[in-house]
Amino acid sequence: MTMKPGLRKFALTAHVTCSVGWIGTVIAYIALAIAGQISPDIQTVRAVWIAMELIGWYVIVPLALISLLTGIIISLGTPWGLFRHYWVIFKLLLTVFSTFVLLLHMPLVSSLARLAEETDPTGLSRLPNEIFHPAGGLLLLLLIVTLSVYKPRGITPYGWKKQQKQHNHL
């Protein structure tokens, strides 16, 4: 089923906006994580953890879920299809993986934010470094963008069957 051009453009706009927003908020999250690691100010460290929790749950998670959903909608409603091209499958798998890891990681961020709020100043120095997780996520998101732009060749066996079916009906 192919979407009408107006609907396709709307879905694509929503997808690109959420995907770019996801990348941007991960970059902001990394900046906060760095500030929390290098700041000697106790109040800054507390504020950083609270902000990371808020950004994570109220911005990054919704953008990840909407990006995943709109990506699936676009792939099902355009000739690219969901399972016709390897690059689409890889994008889907990487997005599902990134979203899954994010959802698994956010409860830990919430726990650490509570700990940062309640602990004494000496305990704040024992909070873990939170740069690895978002940096890895950013690399995956940039790989997804690269796949979107370059669209490496490679049609799946399912894609070949669909393509042959279309050519036979012409």
Side-chain angles (χ1 to χ4, degrees):
M1 176 180 101
T2 304
M3 285 190 260
K4 293 183 179 183
L7 181 58
R8 183 188 62 78
K9 287 180 182 178
F10 176 78
L12 182 60
T13 300
H15 180 67
V16 169
T17 301
C18 290
S19 299
V20 169
W22 186 5
I23 292 169
T25 52
V26 168
I27 292 169
Y29 189 99
I30 291 169
L32 285 170
I34 291 169
Q37 283 289 242
I38 65 173
S39 178
D41 182 48
I42 295 162
Q43 293 305 329
T44 300
V45 174
R46 284 192 170 119
V48 158
W49 279 99
I50 294 166
M52 288 191 308
E53 179 189 27
L54 291 172
I55 287 173
W57 282 117
Y58 296 111
V59 185
I60 297 175
V61 168
L63 288 173
L65 293 171
I66 295 169
S67 181
L68 176 60
L69 178 65
T70 56
I72 291 170
I73 290 169
I74 290 167
S75 67
L76 291 174
T78 64
W80 291 111
L82 189 56
F83 300 110
R84 293 181 185 186
H85 300 269
Y86 286 112
W87 71 268
V88 176
I89 294 171
F90 290 139
K91 270 188 65 172
L92 174 64
L93 292 174
L94 289 172
T95 303
V96 167
F97 177 75
S98 298
T99 304
F100 181 71
V101 170
L102 172 65
L103 291 172
L104 288 178
H105 184 70
M106 282 309 301
L108 175 62
V109 173
S110 293
S111 296
L112 293 170
R114 294 294 79 71
L115 189 62
E117 282 181 305
E118 298 165 359
T119 193
D120 61 72
T122 57
L124 289 175
S125 63
R126 291 191 301 265
L127 290 174
N129 185 330
E130 181 58 10
I131 296 170
F132 171 75
H133 171 67
L138 180 61
L139 289 175
L140 281 176
L141 294 175
L142 294 175
L143 177 59
I144 293 168
V145 168
T146 303
L147 287 171
S148 297
V149 172
Y150 285 94
K151 297 175 180 53
R153 293 183 188 196
I155 297 177
T156 65
Y158 171 78
W160 277 108
K161 288 177 191 173
K162 284 294 231 181
Q163 197 174 47
Q164 293 305 316
K165 214 179 208 183
Q166 285 176 337
H167 287 301
N168 291 338
H169 282 98
L170 294 176

